[in-house]
């Protein structure tokens, strides 16, 4: 999480991850697409953290475990 409270990813890191999983070596990502994918990733991770915290608070927990993340994951994936 960044100082502003949200997730923060370097575009170069996102680009390297994408390129790693492309099947064709010639596949490229333009700057605008990379910017949009990076922003979507930030939103996705921030939303996952917020939903996980909310799920933990329902059980009056101060610390959030992976179990809470696993509870919210199916609906999060459907929403995105």
């Amino acid at each position: 999480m960044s100082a502003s409270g949200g997730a923060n990813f370097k575009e170069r890191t996102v680009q390297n991850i994408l390129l790693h999983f492309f099947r064709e070596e010639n596949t490229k990502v333009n700057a605008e697409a990379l910017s949009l994918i990076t922003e979507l990733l930030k939103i996705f991770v921030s939303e996952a953290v917020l939903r996980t915290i909310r799920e933990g608070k329902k059980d009056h927990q101060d610390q959030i475990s992976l179990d809470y993340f696993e509870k919210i994951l199916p609906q999060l994936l459907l929403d995105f």
Side-chain angles (χ1 to χ4, degrees):
M1 302 283 231
S2 68
S4 64
N8 192 15
F9 298 96
K10 294 180 181 177
E11 285 189 2
R12 182 71 181 159
T13 302
V14 174
Q15 182 179 25
N16 287 336
I17 291 169
L18 289 172
L19 292 175
H20 178 76
F21 288 100
F22 286 153
R23 292 187 177 145
E24 298 289 328
E25 290 183 24
N26 297 341
T27 305
K28 296 180 181 176
V29 179
N30 70 27
E32 186 178 356
L34 182 59
S35 178
L36 290 172
I37 292 168
T38 302
E39 186 63 28
L40 180 63
L41 188 58
K42 289 176 186 178
I43 293 167
F44 181 83
V45 170
S46 296
E47 185 67 21
V49 169
L50 290 173
R51 290 184 187 196
T52 302
I53 290 169
R54 276 192 228 126
E55 191 67 32
K57 285 185 177 182
K58 286 180 187 177
D59 289 342
H60 308 290
Q61 296 294 316
D62 291 332
Q63 293 187 341
I64 307 302
S65 69
L66 188 57
D67 295 333
Y68 294 107
F69 176 69
E70 291 172 349
K71 284 182 181 179
I72 63 99
L73 188 57
Q75 187 62 49
L76 178 68
L77 292 174
L78 286 172
D79 290 345
F80 276 81

